[in-house]
Amino acid sequence: MAEIGFDEVTKIYPDGTRAVSAVDLDIEDGTLMVLVGPSGCGKTTLLRMVAGLEEITEGTIRVGDRVINDVDPKNRDLAMVFQNYALYPHMTCYDNMAFGLKLRKLPKKEIDRRVRETSRALGLDDQLRKKPRALSGGQRQRVAMGRAIVREPKAFLMDEPLSNLDAKLRVQMRTEISRIQRDLGVTMIYVTHDQTEAMTMGDRVAVMNRGVLQQVAAPQEMYDNPANLFVAGFIGSPAMNVVSAELIRGDGGAEVAFGGVRLPIPQSVMQGRPSLAAHVGKRVVIGIRPEDLEDPEYVANPTADARLPVTVDVREAMGAEVYAHFTVDEPPVLTDDTRDLAADAGVDVDDLGSSGERTSHFVARLDPHTSAAEGRPIDLHVDMRSIHVFDPETGEAIR
């Protein structure tokens, strides 16, 4: 196994398109690193450069102590699992898994040992004599993984391997991939568009947008402390609520004012984020996670002045929780980051600023027994200890 390092790696296509820009990233040996971001952000291009399927325009990629820029793909000792499985339809599962080993002219006994040990770990013992057409999507994906595992490579590269599976099978397979990676102790780079996969699978997560690495961190660290508006909006489901506000000096300290309300910022937050003091009296962007809005009846020690009066537009009962949708009387936050997020979600924001839109959409994740109902007002408690504050000009988090 080996660590993988990217040093100022850039990819520029002949037409001038800059797909990847100066990526610096170190992946430790035995780590499952997830590359996540919207379509066209450069994550698959970066993976393909590691595999040798794309040329590197600038920078270097290392596997262990070896620079692999000019090494042929077949000599990089890396195994790639594709989105479409890429199985040979005329071969049995056994032969699909053994094919690469036969090309390397390994002894038959060694090939058989590797294939059978891997098939046992993947639960494929009963499928080895079948051809791909007789398998389910999940079984085909296991065969594709098995074909990679038997090679015993230095690292695994996975390009959205679960995107063709249904939702229930995706949950099952991401658990299996995480288990296999942990059991093998192998380095893995996993590319996905699904932030839920990124959060549940990765030892570390790297978020990309427009070819630029936005943040690299452990999943929970990234969720709790997003580096900028793009990461804040991309990581988390439902997405973080964002609104333009003014950071002002109140009677008991700092407050944020938006949509006709003023919410106090706890002293602990101001002390823990000293940079906020320099923004008092200025416009900022406030981020509030849906779970930080709650029906006061289900808050242990609610703060009387940290209330947001709203009228519920839509109530979604999810069983274990309720999603309450409502609007806040502030125009949508329009920055490059929020436009990119909206575009990824399929929302056209090109004319939002000129259409007179005056409200921002919010979602609250409430206790399943809440009395919140469509068309009725409710004062939601805001956990101000967990608010996020961003610079409206740069989109960077103010910490």
Side-chain angles (χ1 to χ4, degrees):
M1 308 308 170
E3 63 180 19
I4 299 175
F6 300 82
D7 300 314
E8 296 290 312
V9 173
T10 297
K11 174 64 180 183
I12 304 173
Y13 287 103
D15 65 358
T17 300
R18 182 177 286 266
V20 176
S21 296
V23 167
D24 280 315
L25 179 63
D26 289 314
I27 303 172
E28 295 181 2
D29 186 16
T31 297
L32 199 167
M33 173 66 77
V34 178
L35 301 181
V36 65
S39 299
C41 72
K43 57 188 184 295
T44 294
T45 301
L46 194 63
L47 190 76
R48 288 172 62 84
M49 284 193 284
V50 181
L53 304 178
E54 293 277 2
E55 291 186 1
I56 302 167
T57 306
E58 298 172 7
T60 58
I61 297 178
R62 294 173 287 103
V63 176
D65 297 326
R66 181 191 189 196
V67 174
I68 61 170
N69 289 39
D70 300 319
V71 177
D72 287 340
K74 65 181 180 180
N75 296 325
R76 297 191 180 196
D77 198 12
L78 303 171
M80 191 162 182
V81 178
F82 296 92
Q83 179 178 342
N84 61 357
Y85 317 140
L87 300 177
Y88 296 107
H90 63 287
M91 292 184 182
T92 64
C93 295
Y94 184 101
D95 289 335
N96 264 284
M97 293 170 66
F99 185 70
L101 302 181
K102 291 178 180 177
L103 290 181
R104 292 162 61 182
K105 301 187 185 304
L106 265 66
K108 287 185 178 181
K109 285 186 177 181
E110 176 63 11
I111 293 174
D112 189 67
R113 181 190 67 80
R114 291 193 190 185
V115 170
R116 295 195 181 281
E117 283 184 0
T118 301
S119 67
R120 193 175 306 117
L122 294 173
L124 291 171
D125 281 349
D126 296 334
Q127 316 299 329
L128 290 179
R129 294 187 177 184
K130 296 180 181 179
K131 294 183 179 179
R133 64 174 176 269
L135 305 180
S136 67
Q139 289 169 334
R140 292 178 192 177
Q141 189 58 280
R142 287 193 192 97
V143 174
M145 289 178 58
R147 183 176 55 189
I149 291 170
V150 296
R151 291 179 51 192
E152 299 180 358
K154 290 181 178 178
F156 291 98
L157 311 176
M158 295 201 170
D159 185 14
E160 303 207 42
L162 308 184
S163 59
N164 289 334
L165 305 181
D166 61 51
K168 184 177 180 179
L169 194 52
R170 279 203 304 271
V171 173
Q172 178 185 338
M173 285 301 299
R174 73 184 186 219
T175 302
E176 290 191 17
I177 291 174
S178 296
R179 175 185 60 79
I180 291 166
Q181 187 274 336
R182 183 181 64 251
D183 291 348
L184 295 176
V186 67
T187 306
M188 181 182 292
I189 304 178
Y190 186 102
V191 165
T192 181
H193 174 274
D194 187 337
Q195 60 91 23
T196 301
E197 283 183 19
M199 292 293 290
T200 55
M201 294 180 64
D203 296 318
R204 291 175 67 76
V205 177
V207 177
M208 295 186 67
N209 186 39
R210 298 191 181 190
V212 177
L213 197 59
Q214 303 290 313
Q215 185 175 3
V216 183
Q220 194 62 48
E221 169 65 19
M222 183 171 289
Y223 187 84
D224 293 337
N225 299 295
N228 55 42
L229 270 172
F230 182 84
V231 176
F234 194 84
I235 298 296
S237 181
M240 180 185 290
N241 304 299
V242 294
V243 65
S244 179
E246 187 175 1
L247 187 58
I248 60 177
R249 187 69 65 187
D251 295 336
E255 299 178 341
V256 289
F258 63 89
V261 300
R262 293 168 61 148
L263 301 175
I265 300 179
Q267 282 296 326
S268 60
V269 173
M270 295 299 293
Q271 292 169 359
R273 308 179 203 176
S275 297
L276 284 176
H279 289 77
V280 173
K282 299 179 180 178
R283 300 295 294 182
V284 293
V285 174
I286 298 298
I288 304 173
R289 292 281 185 197
E291 61 269 26
D292 294 327
L293 295 162
E294 182 57 280
D295 184 333
E297 289 187 25
Y298 301 96
V299 178
N301 297 297
T303 306
D305 51 358
R307 301 292 180 91
L308 182 63
V310 306
T311 298
V312 178
D313 295 324
V314 177
R315 172 190 164 117
E316 292 182 307
M318 309 297 290
E321 57 199 3
V322 166
Y323 292 165
H325 299 255
F326 58 93
T327 56
V328 172
D329 290 333
E330 285 287 343
V333 175
L334 295 180
T335 67
D336 287 343
D337 285 341
T338 58
R339 288 179 183 275
D340 287 344
L341 290 165
D344 181 56
V347 177
D348 185 5
V349 295
D350 287 341
D351 58 356
L352 267 182
S354 60
S355 66
E357 183 69 43
R358 298 297 303 168
T359 59
S360 295
H361 177 257
F362 267 46
V363 182
R365 179 182 273 141
L366 307 180
D367 186 278
H369 304 103
T370 179
S371 60
E374 292 180 3
R376 292 178 57 184
I378 184 173
D379 287 353
L380 295 178
H381 179 267
V382 185
D383 186 352
M384 295 298 290
R385 298 167 301 176
S386 301
I387 67 162
H388 301 264
V389 187
F390 304 92
D391 187 309
E393 298 297 325
T394 65
E396 298 297 311
I398 302 172
R399 296 176 175 171

